């Protein structure tokens, strides 16, 4: 029975792993420059994404394992009656988390920065040895930062003070959650480093996922501008610019010298005309494509799919809002804010997942789809917004045109975001991410046995906590500052969601093509790629 239960929990994870490998390879290959493809970058970015996505996909398996341990009547199954057996099963999951987290740290602090600076230092005729030395020099800074984090992780969590058994109700509310409070220092060290990394990821998730989660469904519902009208507008603009160019040339025939101011104006107009020429060629390709000719077939499907995604986005927004409001209502201090579940207000996603838990593997599929949606909308947000340094766009991400440095930063950002997803999911569905759909039996005053769902407020050993729930609660009770930062960022996510929805509704619909500008034309002048279609 133990083998069958383990197979039922790990088989979906094996299938998801295969899909993750395929997705990572396709994603990296699709975004990289076609002409200047570098297979070292492809392999490194693919490995980074695989490791990060596996870390996130381990959460559904973790939840399913603890759900499998109990019957619907609240009793443990025969093969999990022994606490030692339950701990042994979860021990392998815990090893998986820490191994994957260790790999994430290595890729984020060493491998990816080294390759980024290696390509950043690339110049014509530069020796490879010099580029390697320069990359090592810059990567050393990341290594020093990592060492500092690991050292702090050894000592800072140990400074946490444990209340006595007869202390205030604060400890009474969380002592059953923060079981096994004492953890090895190496685990605290890795946790400190990974949760510091995930703070960066949570901020990126707040910006890019907060925007993408609402912008993506609204884009599908609203659709794109009319290709015919867009083509006519480009032709009209080209005609006007050609008229201005011809007027300047008529004023200054070949035998008449042209002032420098007029030369600069003529050069600017010619560049704009070239940009419009490329955009016109792109829109022609769109109008001739088979996909465009079938728009009357796929457009209704696109709207329906957009509506479904919009409902999911609103469900996420409402669930996170209810969870945060509940924490504010029952706020004691930041040490136990992460241990507060759905005490007063209902959580829609928690309810849906608990209900689907009655039929395996419906709950696994729903939770996995939730993670897929968060990841997908994060990619959408990164592609739409790009990477900015104050008011200057550092990198843009286009299919088939992304430079090695940009694709490395894109994958690093995705790694940060995916690492933060486990904490985000806990904030979103605190009850289900800790206990799954477990129940426990309790004797009422009249002697009858009543079956109740396991929650954060149950002081009983009849509920088995997930490994991720234990890691999060144990660490954030020790280092409460992290929990406070995440809680504040979750409110920023909600604000970003609302602002993005308003901006997306007010702004005009998107173009059918990735339009060129004069700056982009000069930047991509050496590319021989065909015009890109949105």
């Amino acid at each position: 029975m133990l083998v069958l239960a383990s197979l039922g929990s790990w088989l979906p994870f094996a299938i998801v792993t295969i899909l993750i490998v395929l997705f990572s390879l396709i994603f990296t290959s699709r975004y990289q420059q076609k002409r200047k493809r570098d297979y070292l970058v492809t392999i490194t970015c693919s490995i980074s994404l695989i490791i990060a996505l596996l870390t996130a996909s381990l959460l559904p398996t973790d939840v399913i394992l603890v759900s499998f341990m109990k019957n619907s009547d609240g009793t443990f199954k025969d093969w999990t009656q022994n606490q030692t057996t339950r701990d042994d099963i979860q021990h392998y999951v815990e090893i998986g988390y820490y191994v994957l987290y260790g790999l994430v740290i290595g890729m984020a602090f060493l491998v990816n920065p080294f390759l980024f600076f290696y390509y950043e230092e690339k110049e014509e005729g530069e020796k490879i040895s010099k580029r390697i030395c320069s990359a090592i020099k810059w990567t050393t800074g990341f290594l020093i930062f990592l060492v500092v984090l690991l050292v702090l992780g050894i000592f800072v969590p140990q400074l946490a003070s444990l209340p006595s058994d007869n202390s205030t109700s604060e400890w009474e509310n969380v002592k059953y959650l923060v079981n096994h409070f004492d953890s090895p220092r190496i685990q605290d060290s890795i946790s400190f480093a990974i949760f510091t990394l995930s703070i960066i990821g949570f901020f990126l998730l707040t910006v890019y996922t907060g925007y993408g989660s609402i912008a993506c469904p609204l884009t599908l519902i609203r659709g794109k501008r009319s290709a015919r009208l867009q083509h006519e507008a480009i032709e009209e603009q080209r005609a006007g610019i050609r008229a201005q160019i011809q007027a300047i040339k008529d004023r200054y025939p070949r035998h008449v010298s042209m002032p420098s101011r007029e030369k600069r104006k003529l050069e600017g107009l010619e560049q704009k005309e070239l940009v419009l020429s490329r955009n016109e060629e792109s829109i022609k390709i769109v109008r001739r494509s088979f996909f465009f000719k079938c728009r009357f077939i796929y457009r209704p499907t696109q709207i329906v799919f957009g509506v479904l995604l919009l409902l999911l986005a609103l469900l996420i927004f409402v669930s996170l809002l209810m969870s945060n409001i509940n924490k504010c209502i029952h706020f004691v201090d930041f040490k136990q804010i992460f241990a507060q579940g759905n005490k007063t207000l209902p959580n829609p996603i928690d309810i849906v997942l608990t209900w689907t838990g009655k039929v395996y593997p419906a709950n696994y599929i729903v939770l996995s789809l939730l993670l897929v949606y968060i990841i997908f909308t994060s990619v959408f947000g990164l592609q739409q917004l790009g990477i900015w340094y104050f008011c200057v766009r550092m990198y843009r991400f286009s299919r088939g045109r992304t430079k090695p440095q940009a694709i490395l930063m894109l994958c690093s950002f995705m790694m940060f975001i995916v690492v933060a997803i486990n904490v985000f999911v806990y904030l979103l569905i605190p009850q289900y991410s800790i206990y799954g759909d477990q129940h426990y039996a309790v004797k009422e005053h009249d002697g009858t046995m009543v079956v109740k769902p396991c929650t954060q407020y149950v002081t009983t050993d009849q509920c088995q906590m997930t490994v991720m729930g234990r890691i999060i609660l144990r660490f954030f009770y020790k280092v409460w500052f992290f929990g406070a930062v995440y809680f504040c960022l979750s409110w920023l996510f909600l604000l970003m969601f609302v602002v993005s929805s308003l901006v997306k509704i007010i702004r005009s619909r998107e173009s059918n093509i990735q339009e060129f500008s004069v700056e982009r034309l000069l930047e991509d002048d050496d590319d021989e790629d065909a015009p890109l279609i949105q």
Side-chain angles (χ1 to χ4, degrees):
M1 188 62 187
L2 178 59
V3 175
L4 291 176
S6 299
L7 182 63
S9 301
W10 288 103
L11 183 59
F13 180 76
I15 297 173
V16 169
T17 299
I18 296 173
L19 296 177
I20 285 174
V21 173
L22 293 176
F23 167 79
S24 301
L25 292 172
I26 294 172
F27 177 85
T28 307
S29 301
R30 191 179 184 189
Y31 274 86
Q32 242 191 316
Q33 284 179 325
K34 294 179 179 178
R35 196 184 72 171
K36 299 179 179 179
R37 189 181 304 277
D38 191 299
Y39 290 101
L40 180 60
V41 173
T42 303
I43 293 172
T44 303
C45 291
S46 298
I47 292 174
S48 299
L49 287 177
I50 289 170
I51 293 171
L53 292 173
L54 283 177
T55 307
S57 64
L58 197 55
L59 180 61
T61 302
D62 189 9
V63 175
I64 294 300
L65 273 173
V66 296
S67 299
F68 264 3
M69 293 180 180
K70 305 206 73 176
N71 297 306
S72 57
D73 60 359
T75 60
F76 282 103
K77 295 180 179 179
D78 294 338
W79 54 276
T80 56
Q81 290 290 338
N82 193 330
Q83 180 66 47
T84 305
T85 303
R86 300 197 294 268
D87 291 341
D88 289 341
I89 294 171
Q90 289 193 300
H91 179 65
Y92 293 105
V93 179
E94 188 172 17
I95 291 175
Y97 274 122
Y98 281 109
V99 168
L100 289 171
Y101 277 149
L103 293 174
V104 166
I105 291 173
M107 297 298 294
F109 284 96
L110 299 176
V111 179
N112 285 5
F114 173 81
L115 281 181
F116 176 84
F117 290 113
Y118 175 78
Y119 287 99
E120 191 71 15
E121 297 293 325
K122 185 177 181 179
E123 294 180 4
E124 196 68 30
E126 182 109 33
K127 292 183 178 180
I128 294 179
S129 58
K130 187 176 180 181
R131 291 169 59 189
I132 292 175
C133 291
S134 181
I136 291 175
K137 178 183 67 176
W138 289 104
T139 308
T140 302
F142 285 84
L143 181 60
I144 294 172
F145 181 61
L146 173 59
V147 171
V148 171
L149 287 180
L150 293 175
V151 172
L152 287 175
I154 293 175
F155 296 103
V156 172
Q158 306 303 321
L159 301 178
S161 57
L162 282 173
S164 59
D165 291 335
N166 56 356
S167 63
T168 62
S169 60
E170 174 204 347
W171 178 240
E172 291 295 325
N173 289 335
V174 298
K175 69 178 179 179
Y176 282 93
L177 296 179
V178 194
N179 58 342
H180 309 301
F181 190 95
D182 292 326
S183 55
R185 293 198 175 192
I186 185 64
Q187 291 185 12
D188 285 337
S189 182
I190 295 176
S191 297
F192 192 90
I194 202 67
F195 284 120
T196 301
L197 194 66
S198 66
I199 283 183
I200 302 173
F202 207 100
F203 178 78
L204 297 174
L205 184 144
T206 298
V207 175
Y208 292 109
T209 313
Y211 171 81
S213 60
I214 187 63
C216 180
L218 289 178
T219 298
L220 291 174
I221 294 172
R222 299 183 67 197
K224 297 178 180 178
R225 284 182 275 169
S226 168
R228 179 181 60 82
L229 296 178
Q230 195 173 351
H231 190 186
E232 292 176 357
I234 292 174
E235 286 181 332
E236 185 178 343
Q237 293 175 25
R238 281 195 72 187
I241 289 178
R242 281 198 298 263
Q244 295 181 52
I245 291 174
Q246 190 59 44
I248 294 176
K249 290 182 177 179
D250 290 343
R251 287 200 305 268
Y252 301 98
R254 291 186 177 181
H255 61 278
V256 178
S257 61
M258 185 182 296
S260 58
R261 181 175 62 84
E262 293 293 320
K263 286 182 180 179
R264 289 193 299 271
K265 183 178 179 180
L266 179 62
E267 183 180 354
L269 290 171
E270 288 175 341
Q271 288 177 345
K272 290 180 180 179
E273 202 275 334
L274 181 58
V275 167
L276 290 173
S277 175
R278 289 205 178 187
N279 289 337
E280 185 178 12
E281 183 62 29
S282 298
I283 203 70
K284 286 180 180 178
I285 293 175
V286 171
R287 298 189 69 183
R288 290 196 301 263
S289 66
F290 175 78
F291 190 70
F292 179 77
K293 293 176 181 178
C294 298
R295 63 191 181 280
F296 296 109
I297 299 175
Y298 76 79
R299 182 70 185 122
T301 306
Q302 191 181 46
I303 294 175
V304 172
F305 189 62
V307 171
L308 293 176
L309 292 183
L310 178 61
L311 292 176
L312 179 57
L314 294 176
L315 193 64
I316 291 173
F317 177 83
V318 172
S319 296
L320 184 59
L321 181 63
M322 292 296 100
S323 180
N324 280 3
I325 292 176
N326 183 79
K327 287 179 172 61
C328 292
I329 292 174
H330 303 285
F331 179 81
V332 177
D333 57 31
F334 281 111
K335 274 192 174 184
Q336 70 165 351
I337 195 167
F338 253 64
Q340 295 172 355
N342 309 321
K343 188 172 184 179
T344 304
L345 302 176
N347 187 304
I349 297 183
D350 247 344
I351 295 172
V352 170
L353 286 168
T354 303
W355 181 75
T356 55
K358 299 175 182 178
V359 181
Y360 176 82
N363 52 348
Y364 186 95
I365 294 173
V366 172
L367 184 55
S368 298
L369 288 177
L370 177 64
L371 296 176
V372 168
Y373 179 75
I374 296 172
I375 294 168
F376 175 75
T377 53
S378 301
V379 175
F380 183 86
L382 280 164
Q383 184 180 359
Q384 292 282 311
L385 301 178
I387 297 177
W388 293 76
Y389 182 74
F390 291 102
C391 297
V392 179
R393 186 194 289 268
M394 292 178 60
Y395 298 107
R396 60 167 57 90
F397 307 114
S398 302
R399 294 190 296 269
R401 302 176 69 90
T402 309
K403 297 178 179 178
Q405 303 97 303
I407 194 71
L408 282 164
M409 185 164 286
L410 171 63
C411 290
S412 295
F413 274 32
M414 280 301 300
M415 182 182 292
F416 295 158
I417 290 172
V418 171
V419 167
I421 283 179
N422 284 340
V423 180
F424 179 76
V425 169
Y426 172 76
L427 282 169
L428 187 64
I429 45 175
Q431 177 178 319
Y432 191 82
S433 61
I434 292 181
Y435 289 118
D437 60 347
Q438 293 181 74
H439 291 73
Y440 72 102
V442 60
K443 183 179 289 188
E444 296 291 326
H445 296 295
D446 58 0
T448 58
M449 297 297 293
V450 179
V451 178
K452 296 182 179 181
C454 292
T455 67
Q456 290 91 323
Y457 300 97
V458 174
T459 56
T460 178
D461 294 328
Q462 296 184 46
C463 297
Q464 188 73 20
M465 189 183 298
T466 60
V467 175
M468 179 49 64
R470 187 165 63 245
I471 291 174
I472 289 176
L473 290 173
R474 181 174 60 200
F475 182 78
F476 288 128
Y477 190 83
K478 290 182 178 182
V479 190
W480 62 267
F481 170 78
F482 284 84
V485 171
Y486 284 120
F487 180 66
C488 295
L489 286 176
S490 66
W491 282 106
L492 186 60
F493 177 92
L494 296 172
L495 178 62
M496 185 69 180
F497 185 97
V498 174
V499 173
S500 300
S501 61
L502 295 176
V503 170
K504 199 64 182 178
I505 292 172
I506 295 172
R507 289 183 62 182
S508 59
R509 291 184 295 173
E510 289 187 1
S511 172
N512 287 275
I513 58 174
Q514 296 183 11
E515 295 183 349
F516 279 93
S517 62
V518 174
E519 294 78 10
R520 185 171 180 181
L521 181 67
L522 296 175
E523 180 182 312
D524 300 334
D525 190 50
D526 59 339
D527 287 342
E528 60 181 16
D529 299 317
L532 293 176
I533 302 172
Q534 286 276 53

